[in-house]
Tab-separated table of all heavy atoms in Angstrom:
chain	number	residue	atom	x	y	z
A	1	MET	N	-110.348	-129.055	45.739
A	1	MET	CA	-110.864	-129.060	47.042
A	1	MET	C	-110.081	-130.084	47.971
A	1	MET	O	-110.639	-131.145	48.205
A	1	MET	CB	-112.327	-129.200	47.102
A	1	MET	CG	-113.008	-128.151	46.328
A	1	MET	SD	-114.683	-127.752	46.767
A	1	MET	CE	-115.643	-129.072	46.138
A	2	LEU	N	-108.917	-129.782	48.329
A	2	LEU	CA	-108.099	-130.715	49.135
A	2	LEU	C	-108.740	-131.064	50.428
A	2	LEU	O	-108.439	-132.196	50.950
A	2	LEU	CB	-106.668	-130.066	49.358
A	2	LEU	CG	-105.860	-129.960	48.034
A	2	LEU	CD1	-104.523	-129.199	48.360
A	2	LEU	CD2	-105.586	-131.349	47.451
A	3	HIS	N	-109.451	-130.079	51.142
A	3	HIS	CA	-109.935	-130.332	52.407
A	3	HIS	C	-110.870	-131.514	52.440
A	3	HIS	O	-111.144	-132.003	53.527
A	3	HIS	CB	-110.589	-129.051	53.024
A	3	HIS	CG	-111.843	-128.698	52.277
A	3	HIS	ND1	-111.847	-128.033	51.030
A	3	HIS	CD2	-113.158	-128.884	52.495
A	3	HIS	CE1	-113.018	-127.836	50.565
A	3	HIS	NE2	-113.852	-128.237	51.548
A	4	LEU	N	-111.470	-131.919	51.404
A	4	LEU	CA	-112.332	-133.039	51.241
A	4	LEU	C	-111.654	-134.370	51.513
A	4	LEU	O	-112.183	-135.344	51.856
A	4	LEU	CB	-113.169	-132.979	49.950
A	4	LEU	CG	-114.071	-131.842	49.718
A	4	LEU	CD1	-114.770	-131.885	48.358
A	4	LEU	CD2	-115.101	-131.727	50.872
A	5	LYS	N	-110.310	-134.410	51.259
A	5	LYS	CA	-109.482	-135.509	51.443
A	5	LYS	C	-108.792	-135.618	52.714
A	5	LYS	O	-108.070	-136.629	52.911
A	5	LYS	CB	-108.549	-135.623	50.225
A	5	LYS	CG	-109.248	-135.732	48.907
A	5	LYS	CD	-108.181	-135.735	47.763
A	5	LYS	CE	-108.937	-135.792	46.465
A	5	LYS	NZ	-107.991	-135.743	45.256
A	6	TRP	N	-108.892	-134.652	53.613
A	6	TRP	CA	-108.060	-134.547	54.749
A	6	TRP	C	-108.451	-135.742	55.759
A	6	TRP	O	-107.577	-136.260	56.467
A	6	TRP	CB	-108.250	-133.287	55.553
A	6	TRP	CG	-107.458	-132.154	54.842
A	6	TRP	CD1	-106.569	-132.246	53.840
A	6	TRP	CD2	-107.664	-130.685	55.196
A	6	TRP	NE1	-106.120	-130.915	53.537
A	6	TRP	CE2	-106.724	-130.050	54.355
A	6	TRP	CE3	-108.411	-130.005	56.052
A	6	TRP	CZ2	-106.586	-128.686	54.409
A	6	TRP	CZ3	-108.205	-128.662	56.212
A	6	TRP	CH2	-107.371	-127.998	55.250
A	7	LYS	N	-109.679	-136.138	55.744
A	7	LYS	CA	-110.119	-137.181	56.699
A	7	LYS	C	-109.386	-138.464	56.508
A	7	LYS	O	-109.077	-139.228	57.325
A	7	LYS	CB	-111.622	-137.304	56.712
A	7	LYS	CG	-112.200	-138.091	57.794
A	7	LYS	CD	-113.683	-138.148	57.748
A	7	LYS	CE	-114.222	-138.843	58.988
A	7	LYS	NZ	-115.678	-138.815	59.049
A	8	ASP	N	-109.160	-138.753	55.179
A	8	ASP	CA	-108.468	-140.023	54.862
A	8	ASP	C	-106.939	-139.803	54.699
A	8	ASP	O	-106.216	-140.854	54.510
A	8	ASP	CB	-109.022	-140.473	53.484
A	8	ASP	CG	-110.532	-140.810	53.534
A	8	ASP	OD1	-110.921	-141.294	54.547
A	8	ASP	OD2	-111.204	-140.540	52.498
A	9	ALA	N	-106.450	-138.592	54.890
A	9	ALA	CA	-104.973	-138.352	54.753
A	9	ALA	C	-104.266	-139.000	56.065
A	9	ALA	O	-104.800	-139.106	57.037
A	9	ALA	CB	-104.756	-136.852	54.704
A	10	PRO	N	-102.969	-139.166	55.819
A	10	PRO	CA	-102.212	-139.712	56.922
A	10	PRO	C	-102.152	-138.682	58.090
A	10	PRO	O	-102.112	-137.536	57.844
A	10	PRO	CB	-100.893	-140.039	56.387
A	10	PRO	CG	-100.755	-139.377	55.146
A	10	PRO	CD	-102.146	-139.224	54.606
A	11	THR	N	-102.114	-139.211	59.333
A	11	THR	CA	-102.018	-138.230	60.534
A	11	THR	C	-100.575	-137.663	60.561
A	11	THR	O	-99.553	-138.363	60.464
A	11	THR	CB	-102.262	-139.019	61.817
A	11	THR	OG1	-103.624	-139.608	61.601
A	11	THR	CG2	-102.193	-138.166	63.021
A	12	ILE	N	-100.516	-136.285	60.655
A	12	ILE	CA	-99.213	-135.596	60.844
A	12	ILE	C	-98.648	-135.800	62.177
A	12	ILE	O	-97.424	-136.114	62.293
A	12	ILE	CB	-99.377	-134.156	60.591
A	12	ILE	CG1	-99.905	-133.924	59.108
A	12	ILE	CG2	-98.224	-133.295	60.756
A	12	ILE	CD1	-100.360	-132.448	58.836
A	13	LYS	N	-99.473	-135.613	63.191
A	13	LYS	CA	-99.062	-135.785	64.588
A	13	LYS	C	-100.322	-135.886	65.433
A	13	LYS	O	-101.465	-135.751	64.965
A	13	LYS	CB	-98.069	-134.690	64.997
A	13	LYS	CG	-98.832	-133.336	65.092
A	13	LYS	CD	-97.873	-132.210	65.414
A	13	LYS	CE	-98.555	-130.862	65.389
A	13	LYS	NZ	-97.653	-129.803	65.845
A	14	THR	N	-100.142	-136.069	66.664
A	14	THR	CA	-101.253	-136.033	67.678
A	14	THR	C	-101.069	-134.840	68.610
A	14	THR	O	-99.900	-134.573	69.007
A	14	THR	CB	-101.503	-137.310	68.430
A	14	THR	OG1	-100.315	-137.604	69.205
A	14	THR	CG2	-101.747	-138.525	67.470
A	15	VAL	N	-102.113	-134.221	69.030
A	15	VAL	CA	-102.072	-133.221	69.987
A	15	VAL	C	-103.119	-133.378	71.101
A	15	VAL	O	-104.149	-134.153	70.823
A	15	VAL	CB	-102.326	-131.796	69.308
A	15	VAL	CG1	-101.205	-131.413	68.457
A	15	VAL	CG2	-103.660	-131.762	68.568
A	16	THR	N	-102.910	-132.897	72.256
A	16	THR	CA	-103.868	-133.061	73.423
A	16	THR	C	-104.520	-131.681	73.578
A	16	THR	O	-103.873	-130.713	73.631
A	16	THR	CB	-103.049	-133.468	74.684
A	16	THR	OG1	-102.270	-134.597	74.371
A	16	THR	CG2	-103.941	-133.681	75.810
A	17	CYS	N	-105.877	-131.806	73.779
A	17	CYS	CA	-106.619	-130.531	74.087
A	17	CYS	C	-106.302	-130.113	75.528
A	17	CYS	O	-106.471	-130.885	76.399
A	17	CYS	CB	-108.069	-130.921	73.923
A	17	CYS	SG	-109.243	-129.476	74.229
A	18	LYS	N	-105.950	-128.842	75.702
A	18	LYS	CA	-105.544	-128.409	77.022
A	18	LYS	C	-106.658	-127.448	77.642
A	18	LYS	O	-106.781	-127.383	78.841
A	18	LYS	CB	-104.270	-127.570	76.991
A	18	LYS	CG	-104.323	-126.324	76.206
A	18	LYS	CD	-102.873	-125.564	76.304
A	18	LYS	CE	-102.938	-124.359	75.389
A	18	LYS	NZ	-101.731	-123.540	75.490
A	19	GLN	N	-107.542	-126.950	76.855
A	19	GLN	CA	-108.608	-126.038	77.223
A	19	GLN	C	-109.675	-125.923	76.205
A	19	GLN	O	-109.354	-126.050	74.953
A	19	GLN	CB	-108.125	-124.761	77.843
A	19	GLN	CG	-107.323	-123.928	76.889
A	19	GLN	CD	-108.050	-122.857	76.288
A	19	GLN	OE1	-109.268	-122.581	76.687
A	19	GLN	NE2	-107.550	-122.090	75.318
A	20	THR	N	-110.858	-125.591	76.666
A	20	THR	CA	-111.994	-125.252	75.672
A	20	THR	C	-112.628	-123.970	75.985
A	20	THR	O	-113.813	-123.786	75.645
A	20	THR	CB	-113.037	-126.402	75.708
A	20	THR	OG1	-113.600	-126.597	77.017
A	20	THR	CG2	-112.513	-127.732	75.286
A	21	ASP	N	-111.940	-123.044	76.730
A	21	ASP	CA	-112.459	-121.766	77.069
A	21	ASP	C	-112.423	-120.878	75.900
A	21	ASP	O	-111.298	-120.217	75.750
A	21	ASP	CB	-111.803	-121.166	78.201
A	21	ASP	CG	-111.889	-122.072	79.454
A	21	ASP	OD1	-112.985	-122.774	79.618
A	21	ASP	OD2	-110.977	-122.061	80.252
A	22	ALA	N	-113.496	-120.710	75.182
A	22	ALA	CA	-113.413	-119.723	73.940
A	22	ALA	C	-114.212	-118.583	74.286
A	22	ALA	O	-115.231	-118.568	74.957
A	22	ALA	CB	-113.945	-120.472	72.769
A	23	LYS	N	-113.751	-117.380	73.675
A	23	LYS	CA	-114.473	-116.125	73.914
A	23	LYS	C	-115.665	-115.996	72.943
A	23	LYS	O	-116.762	-115.500	73.402
A	23	LYS	CB	-113.447	-114.984	73.671
A	23	LYS	CG	-112.407	-114.905	74.591
A	23	LYS	CD	-111.478	-113.774	74.245
A	23	LYS	CE	-110.276	-113.746	75.175
A	23	LYS	NZ	-109.209	-112.818	74.918
A	24	LYS	N	-115.488	-116.335	71.673
A	24	LYS	CA	-116.578	-116.151	70.766
A	24	LYS	C	-117.339	-117.358	70.376
A	24	LYS	O	-118.497	-117.442	69.982
A	24	LYS	CB	-116.073	-115.500	69.541
A	24	LYS	CG	-115.579	-114.118	69.636
A	24	LYS	CD	-114.927	-113.588	68.445
A	24	LYS	CE	-115.956	-113.259	67.428
A	24	LYS	NZ	-115.361	-112.615	66.267
A	25	TYR	N	-116.688	-118.639	70.414
A	25	TYR	CA	-117.234	-119.801	69.819
A	25	TYR	C	-117.460	-120.887	70.922
A	25	TYR	O	-116.719	-120.932	71.863
A	25	TYR	CB	-116.270	-120.327	68.811
A	25	TYR	CG	-116.025	-119.318	67.666
A	25	TYR	CD1	-114.790	-118.626	67.676
A	25	TYR	CD2	-116.952	-118.915	66.731
A	25	TYR	CE1	-114.570	-117.701	66.731
A	25	TYR	CE2	-116.766	-117.955	65.753
A	25	TYR	CZ	-115.460	-117.328	65.741
A	25	TYR	OH	-115.229	-116.388	64.912
A	26	LEU	N	-118.294	-121.747	70.653
A	26	LEU	CA	-118.598	-122.922	71.552
A	26	LEU	C	-117.833	-124.067	71.029
A	26	LEU	O	-118.204	-124.604	69.990
A	26	LEU	CB	-120.114	-123.259	71.577
A	26	LEU	CG	-120.525	-124.406	72.442
A	26	LEU	CD1	-120.210	-124.008	73.963
A	26	LEU	CD2	-122.029	-124.679	72.342
A	27	VAL	N	-116.756	-124.481	71.723
A	27	VAL	CA	-115.910	-125.601	71.279
A	27	VAL	C	-115.960	-126.796	72.207
A	27	VAL	O	-115.545	-127.905	71.914
A	27	VAL	CB	-114.458	-125.192	71.055
A	27	VAL	CG1	-114.297	-124.165	69.887
A	27	VAL	CG2	-113.815	-124.737	72.265
A	28	SER	N	-116.546	-126.628	73.398
A	28	SER	CA	-116.704	-127.671	74.380
A	28	SER	C	-117.588	-128.858	73.942
A	28	SER	O	-117.414	-129.930	74.514
A	28	SER	CB	-117.187	-127.064	75.701
A	28	SER	OG	-118.496	-126.514	75.568
A	29	ASN	N	-118.438	-128.627	72.918
A	29	ASN	CA	-119.237	-129.769	72.393
A	29	ASN	C	-118.534	-130.549	71.436
A	29	ASN	O	-118.964	-131.653	70.997
A	29	ASN	CB	-120.552	-129.296	71.868
A	29	ASN	CG	-120.355	-128.227	70.791
A	29	ASN	OD1	-119.305	-127.754	70.556
A	29	ASN	ND2	-121.512	-127.990	69.991
A	30	VAL	N	-117.364	-130.209	70.941
A	30	VAL	CA	-116.676	-130.922	69.876
A	30	VAL	C	-115.203	-131.275	70.302
A	30	VAL	O	-114.514	-132.080	69.683
A	30	VAL	CB	-116.598	-130.284	68.482
A	30	VAL	CG1	-118.005	-130.335	67.813
A	30	VAL	CG2	-116.041	-128.852	68.564
A	31	LEU	N	-114.733	-130.695	71.442
A	31	LEU	CA	-113.440	-130.923	71.945
A	31	LEU	C	-113.498	-131.368	73.407
A	31	LEU	O	-114.430	-130.817	74.152
A	31	LEU	CB	-112.493	-129.731	71.847
A	31	LEU	CG	-112.070	-129.256	70.506
A	31	LEU	CD1	-111.225	-128.006	70.588
A	31	LEU	CD2	-111.427	-130.432	69.697
A	32	THR	N	-112.697	-132.267	73.901
A	32	THR	CA	-112.677	-132.765	75.299
A	32	THR	C	-111.304	-132.439	75.870
A	32	THR	O	-110.321	-132.865	75.240
A	32	THR	CB	-113.073	-134.205	75.393
A	32	THR	OG1	-114.288	-134.434	74.729
A	32	THR	CG2	-113.119	-134.591	76.809
A	33	VAL	N	-111.222	-131.809	76.957
A	33	VAL	CA	-109.966	-131.542	77.600
A	33	VAL	C	-109.317	-132.788	78.018
A	33	VAL	O	-109.906	-133.662	78.610
A	33	VAL	CB	-110.182	-130.614	78.830
A	33	VAL	CG1	-108.901	-130.371	79.611
A	33	VAL	CG2	-110.812	-129.283	78.439
A	34	GLY	N	-108.004	-132.923	77.767
A	34	GLY	CA	-107.219	-134.131	78.036
A	34	GLY	C	-107.273	-135.201	76.987
A	34	GLY	O	-106.508	-136.184	77.069
A	35	LYS	N	-108.098	-135.030	75.903
A	35	LYS	CA	-108.236	-136.111	74.902
A	35	LYS	C	-107.230	-135.794	73.796
A	35	LYS	O	-106.928	-134.645	73.534
A	35	LYS	CB	-109.565	-136.021	74.306
A	35	LYS	CG	-109.807	-137.201	73.393
A	35	LYS	CD	-111.295	-137.268	72.820
A	35	LYS	CE	-111.415	-138.302	71.744
A	35	LYS	NZ	-112.793	-138.325	71.202
A	36	GLU	N	-106.564	-136.771	73.215
A	36	GLU	CA	-105.719	-136.642	72.093
A	36	GLU	C	-106.495	-136.681	70.804
A	36	GLU	O	-107.419	-137.454	70.648
A	36	GLU	CB	-104.631	-137.715	72.075
A	36	GLU	CG	-103.599	-137.677	73.133
A	36	GLU	CD	-102.417	-138.494	72.869
A	36	GLU	OE1	-102.381	-139.388	71.957
A	36	GLU	OE2	-101.432	-138.438	73.768
A	37	TYR	N	-106.028	-135.808	69.935
A	37	TYR	CA	-106.634	-135.666	68.529
A	37	TYR	C	-105.673	-135.816	67.448
A	37	TYR	O	-104.477	-135.448	67.665
A	37	TYR	CB	-107.345	-134.287	68.411
A	37	TYR	CG	-108.441	-134.192	69.341
A	37	TYR	CD1	-108.382	-133.528	70.538
A	37	TYR	CD2	-109.769	-134.666	69.032
A	37	TYR	CE1	-109.460	-133.508	71.435
A	37	TYR	CE2	-110.792	-134.541	69.800
A	37	TYR	CZ	-110.668	-133.894	71.150
A	37	TYR	OH	-111.762	-133.775	71.924
A	38	GLU	N	-105.939	-136.439	66.400
A	38	GLU	CA	-105.049	-136.694	65.160
A	38	GLU	C	-105.139	-135.506	64.326
A	38	GLU	O	-106.147	-134.945	63.930
A	38	GLU	CB	-105.566	-137.779	64.349
A	38	GLU	CG	-105.550	-139.122	64.961
A	38	GLU	CD	-106.080	-140.238	64.187
A	38	GLU	OE1	-106.570	-140.012	63.064
A	38	GLU	OE2	-105.980	-141.376	64.586
A	39	VAL	N	-103.966	-134.819	64.100
A	39	VAL	CA	-103.727	-133.610	63.250
A	39	VAL	C	-103.679	-134.076	61.791
A	39	VAL	O	-102.824	-134.876	61.393
A	39	VAL	CB	-102.499	-132.824	63.679
A	39	VAL	CG1	-102.290	-131.681	62.716
A	39	VAL	CG2	-102.627	-132.370	65.117
A	40	LYS	N	-104.651	-133.536	60.925
A	40	LYS	CA	-104.627	-133.889	59.511
A	40	LYS	C	-104.022	-132.720	58.754
A	40	LYS	O	-103.491	-133.027	57.665
A	40	LYS	CB	-105.966	-134.134	59.099
A	40	LYS	CG	-106.647	-135.282	59.719
A	40	LYS	CD	-105.882	-136.563	59.441
A	40	LYS	CE	-106.535	-137.699	59.985
A	40	LYS	NZ	-105.940	-139.011	59.586
A	41	ASN	N	-104.037	-131.605	59.103
A	41	ASN	CA	-103.429	-130.411	58.510
A	41	ASN	C	-103.141	-129.314	59.541
A	41	ASN	O	-103.786	-129.238	60.515
A	41	ASN	CB	-104.281	-129.891	57.387
A	41	ASN	CG	-103.525	-129.041	56.435
A	41	ASN	OD1	-102.276	-128.880	56.481
A	41	ASN	ND2	-104.187	-128.445	55.419
A	42	GLU	N	-102.231	-128.345	59.181
A	42	GLU	CA	-101.769	-127.337	60.160
A	42	GLU	C	-101.432	-126.071	59.365
A	42	GLU	O	-100.709	-126.159	58.326
A	42	GLU	CB	-100.669	-127.808	60.964
A	42	GLU	CG	-100.244	-126.854	62.088
A	42	GLU	CD	-99.209	-127.556	63.050
A	42	GLU	OE1	-98.778	-128.676	62.707
A	42	GLU	OE2	-98.963	-126.931	64.016
A	43	THR	N	-101.811	-124.906	59.891
A	43	THR	CA	-101.410	-123.642	59.352
A	43	THR	C	-100.759	-122.906	60.477
A	43	THR	O	-100.585	-123.388	61.512
A	43	THR	CB	-102.616	-122.874	58.749
A	43	THR	OG1	-103.516	-122.484	59.792
A	43	THR	CG2	-103.336	-123.656	57.701
A	44	GLU	N	-100.393	-121.648	60.195
A	44	GLU	CA	-99.769	-120.840	61.321
A	44	GLU	C	-100.688	-120.642	62.444
A	44	GLU	O	-100.301	-120.501	63.589
A	44	GLU	CB	-99.326	-119.480	60.661
A	44	GLU	CG	-98.120	-119.581	59.803
A	44	GLU	CD	-97.699	-118.176	59.247
A	44	GLU	OE1	-98.026	-117.153	59.838
A	44	GLU	OE2	-97.033	-118.177	58.199
A	45	GLU	N	-102.008	-120.454	62.162
A	45	GLU	CA	-102.994	-120.093	63.262
A	45	GLU	C	-103.804	-121.277	63.587
A	45	GLU	O	-104.317	-121.253	64.780
A	45	GLU	CB	-103.817	-118.946	62.683
A	45	GLU	CG	-104.613	-118.265	63.708
A	45	GLU	CD	-105.321	-117.047	63.202
A	45	GLU	OE1	-105.268	-116.787	62.015
A	45	GLU	OE2	-105.932	-116.324	63.997
A	46	PHE	N	-104.102	-122.127	62.765
A	46	PHE	CA	-105.119	-123.273	62.986
A	46	PHE	C	-104.461	-124.648	62.928
A	46	PHE	O	-103.531	-124.907	62.230
A	46	PHE	CB	-106.179	-123.095	61.957
A	46	PHE	CG	-107.056	-121.897	62.034
A	46	PHE	CD1	-106.823	-120.834	61.119
A	46	PHE	CD2	-108.019	-121.817	62.997
A	46	PHE	CE1	-107.482	-119.683	61.212
A	46	PHE	CE2	-108.750	-120.584	62.990
A	46	PHE	CZ	-108.560	-119.572	62.108
A	47	ILE	N	-105.179	-125.627	63.623
A	47	ILE	CA	-104.900	-126.955	63.456
A	47	ILE	C	-106.200	-127.654	63.118
A	47	ILE	O	-107.247	-127.342	63.652
A	47	ILE	CB	-104.452	-127.538	64.930
A	47	ILE	CG1	-103.036	-126.944	65.292
A	47	ILE	CG2	-104.386	-129.079	64.848
A	47	ILE	CD1	-102.565	-127.490	66.610
A	48	PHE	N	-106.102	-128.548	62.143
A	48	PHE	CA	-107.320	-129.248	61.654
A	48	PHE	C	-107.215	-130.665	62.201
A	48	PHE	O	-106.268	-131.375	61.821
A	48	PHE	CB	-107.314	-129.172	60.215
A	48	PHE	CG	-107.454	-127.816	59.528
A	48	PHE	CD1	-106.392	-126.981	59.288
A	48	PHE	CD2	-108.728	-127.294	59.349
A	48	PHE	CE1	-106.514	-125.681	58.847
A	48	PHE	CE2	-108.952	-126.030	58.917
A	48	PHE	CZ	-107.751	-125.144	58.659
A	49	VAL	N	-108.183	-131.059	62.950
A	49	VAL	CA	-108.148	-132.354	63.622
A	49	VAL	C	-109.544	-133.004	63.393
A	49	VAL	O	-110.551	-132.421	63.003
A	49	VAL	CB	-108.067	-132.226	65.267
A	49	VAL	CG1	-106.630	-131.608	65.398
A	49	VAL	CG2	-109.149	-131.435	65.814
A	50	ILE	N	-109.608	-134.276	63.649
A	50	ILE	CA	-110.846	-135.074	63.644
A	50	ILE	C	-111.374	-134.874	65.140
A	50	ILE	O	-110.884	-135.415	66.022
A	50	ILE	CB	-110.729	-136.490	63.382
A	50	ILE	CG1	-110.108	-136.599	61.849
A	50	ILE	CG2	-111.916	-137.269	63.450
A	50	ILE	CD1	-109.856	-138.102	61.428
A	51	ASP	N	-112.467	-134.059	65.205
A	51	ASP	CA	-113.090	-133.801	66.437
A	51	ASP	C	-114.061	-134.901	67.023
A	51	ASP	O	-114.136	-135.940	66.404
A	51	ASP	CB	-113.691	-132.341	66.450
A	51	ASP	CG	-114.848	-132.327	65.481
A	51	ASP	OD1	-115.443	-133.395	65.126
A	51	ASP	OD2	-115.167	-131.194	65.085
A	52	ASN	N	-114.733	-134.625	68.125
A	52	ASN	CA	-115.620	-135.616	68.706
A	52	ASN	C	-116.804	-136.008	67.828
A	52	ASN	O	-117.348	-136.960	68.059
A	52	ASN	CB	-116.203	-135.121	70.057
A	52	ASN	CG	-115.013	-134.973	71.034
A	52	ASN	OD1	-113.926	-135.415	70.939
A	52	ASN	ND2	-115.354	-134.212	72.120
A	53	SER	N	-117.146	-135.192	66.846
A	53	SER	CA	-118.218	-135.440	65.950
A	53	SER	C	-117.807	-136.427	64.860
A	53	SER	O	-118.633	-136.962	64.128
A	53	SER	CB	-118.826	-134.218	65.307
A	53	SER	OG	-117.896	-133.617	64.495
A	54	GLY	N	-116.544	-136.692	64.822
A	54	GLY	CA	-115.929	-137.495	63.709
A	54	GLY	C	-115.683	-136.844	62.466
A	54	GLY	O	-115.250	-137.507	61.434
A	55	ASN	N	-115.818	-135.507	62.352
A	55	ASN	CA	-115.543	-134.709	61.152
A	55	ASN	C	-114.261	-133.994	61.375
A	55	ASN	O	-113.820	-133.760	62.527
A	55	ASN	CB	-116.635	-133.864	60.855
A	55	ASN	CG	-117.934	-134.491	60.541
A	55	ASN	OD1	-117.839	-135.582	59.769
A	55	ASN	ND2	-119.100	-134.223	61.121
A	56	ILE	N	-113.718	-133.342	60.303
A	56	ILE	CA	-112.571	-132.472	60.418
A	56	ILE	C	-113.038	-131.127	60.898
A	56	ILE	O	-113.983	-130.610	60.358
A	56	ILE	CB	-111.874	-132.363	58.967
A	56	ILE	CG1	-111.383	-133.685	58.557
A	56	ILE	CG2	-110.763	-131.329	59.095
A	56	ILE	CD1	-110.115	-134.131	59.346
A	57	GLY	N	-112.284	-130.617	61.866
A	57	GLY	CA	-112.637	-129.246	62.407
A	57	GLY	C	-111.393	-128.456	62.482
A	57	GLY	O	-110.291	-128.958	62.826
A	58	GLY	N	-111.511	-127.116	62.180
A	58	GLY	CA	-110.326	-126.252	62.381
A	58	GLY	C	-110.370	-125.413	63.621
A	58	GLY	O	-111.419	-124.786	63.881
A	59	PHE	N	-109.418	-125.494	64.463
A	59	PHE	CA	-109.426	-124.856	65.714
A	59	PHE	C	-108.083	-124.080	65.863
A	59	PHE	O	-107.025	-124.350	65.373
A	59	PHE	CB	-109.482	-125.826	66.817
A	59	PHE	CG	-110.747	-126.709	66.738
A	59	PHE	CD1	-110.700	-128.056	66.132
A	59	PHE	CD2	-111.989	-126.305	67.228
A	59	PHE	CE1	-111.823	-128.770	66.063
A	59	PHE	CE2	-113.133	-126.966	67.161
A	59	PHE	CZ	-112.996	-128.275	66.501
A	60	TYR	N	-108.251	-122.950	66.661
A	60	TYR	CA	-106.995	-122.194	67.012
A	60	TYR	C	-106.055	-123.121	67.810
A	60	TYR	O	-106.491	-123.931	68.561
A	60	TYR	CB	-107.407	-120.974	67.855
A	60	TYR	CG	-108.095	-119.906	67.131
A	60	TYR	CD1	-109.394	-119.562	67.401
A	60	TYR	CD2	-107.408	-119.199	66.199
A	60	TYR	CE1	-110.030	-118.551	66.787
A	60	TYR	CE2	-107.971	-118.128	65.449
A	60	TYR	CZ	-109.298	-117.844	65.775
A	60	TYR	OH	-110.028	-116.797	65.086
A	61	LYS	N	-104.708	-122.820	67.574
A	61	LYS	CA	-103.760	-123.706	68.262
A	61	LYS	C	-103.742	-123.513	69.748
A	61	LYS	O	-103.233	-124.354	70.476
A	61	LYS	CB	-102.364	-123.220	67.596
A	61	LYS	CG	-102.121	-123.776	66.279
A	61	LYS	CD	-100.634	-123.501	65.841
A	61	LYS	CE	-100.483	-124.113	64.458
A	61	LYS	NZ	-99.119	-123.946	64.086
A	62	GLU	N	-104.310	-122.452	70.231
A	62	GLU	CA	-104.342	-122.242	71.717
A	62	GLU	C	-105.118	-123.181	72.486
A	62	GLU	O	-105.053	-123.329	73.637
A	62	GLU	CB	-104.938	-120.817	71.942
A	62	GLU	CG	-106.494	-120.663	71.632
A	62	GLU	CD	-107.004	-119.224	71.751
A	62	GLU	OE1	-106.269	-118.319	71.445
A	62	GLU	OE2	-108.164	-119.079	72.179
A	63	TYR	N	-105.948	-123.955	71.830
A	63	TYR	CA	-106.751	-125.156	72.509
A	63	TYR	C	-105.848	-126.387	72.743
A	63	TYR	O	-106.264	-127.186	73.473
A	63	TYR	CB	-107.950	-125.466	71.709
A	63	TYR	CG	-108.845	-124.397	71.531
A	63	TYR	CD1	-109.196	-123.923	70.362
A	63	TYR	CD2	-109.421	-123.725	72.649
A	63	TYR	CE1	-110.106	-122.840	70.092
A	63	TYR	CE2	-110.292	-122.651	72.451
A	63	TYR	CZ	-110.628	-122.188	71.136
A	63	TYR	OH	-111.495	-121.164	70.971
A	64	PHE	N	-104.671	-126.469	72.151
A	64	PHE	CA	-103.942	-127.698	72.238
A	64	PHE	C	-102.452	-127.475	72.731
A	64	PHE	O	-101.977	-126.364	72.753
A	64	PHE	CB	-103.745	-128.259	70.730
A	64	PHE	CG	-105.083	-128.516	70.109
A	64	PHE	CD1	-105.662	-127.651	69.234
A	64	PHE	CD2	-105.832	-129.695	70.361
A	64	PHE	CE1	-106.851	-127.880	68.670
A	64	PHE	CE2	-106.971	-129.901	69.863
A	64	PHE	CZ	-107.617	-128.966	68.958
A	65	GLU	N	-101.876	-128.579	73.142
A	65	GLU	CA	-100.477	-128.591	73.654
A	65	GLU	C	-99.588	-129.125	72.598
A	65	GLU	O	-100.032	-129.860	71.775
A	65	GLU	CB	-100.382	-129.534	74.777
A	65	GLU	CG	-101.121	-128.962	76.018
A	65	GLU	CD	-101.017	-129.946	77.218
A	65	GLU	OE1	-100.747	-131.146	77.058
A	65	GLU	OE2	-101.282	-129.411	78.349
């Protein structure tokens, strides 16, 4: 279960949130537009960051620059 160690893993890069307009999901309560987030893991479709709650969250890449 590698995802349990992501919070302590080194940061890959930082990304800035560009929008929180989601069609199906409410992301405005865990992401802030203009704030930089530390990327802990990345796939083709998702970026895993430490969100505003202090936990690792997986979000579509469309929310970040």
